[in-house]
């Protein structure tokens, strides 16, 4: 089991992240995997690869979001 709050806390710790949400996405092999929706701070150029590398030092590999979607709109 993966705590979405734990993954969100790790993502929020990146200085370019304004807000985020982590949800479960369906996966054929594992049933569900973490997926992150991330809103960046203005003028940020954070990429999926950079964020994943940052999180790799904070979370176990199985907790890393398999899907990272960036949104320009605030989360509801």
């Amino acid at each position: 089991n993966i705590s979405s709050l734990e993954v969100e806390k790790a993502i929020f710790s990146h200085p370019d992240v304004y807000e985020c949400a982590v949800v479960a996405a369906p996966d054929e092999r594992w049933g569900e995997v973490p997926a992150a929706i991330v809103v960046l701070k203005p003028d940020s150029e954070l990429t999926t690869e950079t964020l994943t590398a940052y999180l790799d030092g904070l979370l176990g590999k199985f907790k890393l979001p398999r899907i990272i979607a960036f949104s320009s709109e605030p989360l509801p």
Side-chain angles (χ1 to χ4, degrees), residues 11 19 21 29 52 57 74:
I11 295 170
E19 61 182 346
R29 180 175 181 189
T52 300

Side-chain angles (χ1 to χ4, degrees), residues 52-70:
T52 300
Y54 174 81
L55 295 173
D56 192 36
L58 299 174
L59 299 168
K61 285 216 180 276
F62 73 99
K63 294 181 182 181
L64 293 174
R66 301 297 187 267
I67 300 165
I68 298 176
F70 292 103

Side-chain angles (χ1 to χ4, degrees), residues 2 13 18 21 31 34-35 44 49 66-67 74:
I2 299 170
S13 72
Y18 177 69
S44 172
E49 293 79 16
R66 301 297 187 267
I67 300 165

Side-chain angles (χ1 to χ4, degrees), residues 12 47 58 74-75:
F12 273 128
T47 64
L58 299 174
L75 296 178

Side-chain angles (χ1 to χ4, degrees), residues 6-38:
E6 179 184 4
V7 180
E8 286 174 358
K9 184 177 176 181
I11 295 170
F12 273 128
S13 72
H14 193 286
D16 287 341
V17 174
Y18 177 69
E19 61 182 346
C20 75
V22 175
V23 296
D27 183 80
E28 287 185 25
R29 180 175 181 189
W30 301 107
E32 293 180 332
V33 294
I37 300 96
V38 179

